[in-house]
Amino acid sequence: MKRRYDRKKIIQELARLAFSDPTDAVALAFLPEGSDISGMNVSMVTELKVGEKGGNQVKLLDRVELIRLLVELVGRDDVQCAESFFLALGAAGADAEREGL
């Protein structure tokens, strides 16, 4: 049986979550009930509470903990390599944002 996720894919996914833009996740708290959220990036959302009196709360993944886990997975000796990876990931995200992806 082939593994669905290997170490590299797990590291990439954790990095994507750790450095993703929370704008859509925060906007989720202000959307009217029943709104279409397709196309929104809400992968960082761990909990959404809708208050009875209109106050909403969105809880997000802990970025610091994600980064800590990434450092452990990459290894302390490979921190420089990880830094290069994160810089490349950030550049790719910026390129995608400029292109409207």
Side-chain angles (χ1 to χ4, degrees), residues 68-81:
R68 237 183 237 129
L69 182 56
L70 282 167
V71 170
E72 285 179 30
L73 287 173
V74 172
R76 301 211 189 287
D77 295 335
D78 294 333
V79 170
Q80 192 172 23
C81 179

Side-chain angles (χ1 to χ4, degrees), residues 27-72:
L28 185 64
F30 299 100
L31 291 176
E33 188 174 334
S35 294
D36 181 19
I37 63 167
S38 60
M40 292 180 75
N41 178 7
V42 293
S43 58
M44 289 189 67
V45 175
T46 61
E47 187 177 339
L48 174 64
K49 289 183 181 179
V50 179
E52 293 177 17
K53 298 180 180 180
N56 300 332
Q57 180 182 26
V58 176
K59 289 188 180 181
L60 305 177
L61 292 171
D62 183 345
R63 285 185 172 194
V64 172
E65 189 57 37
L66 287 170
I67 293 168
R68 237 183 237 129
L69 182 56
L70 282 167
V71 170
E72 285 179 30

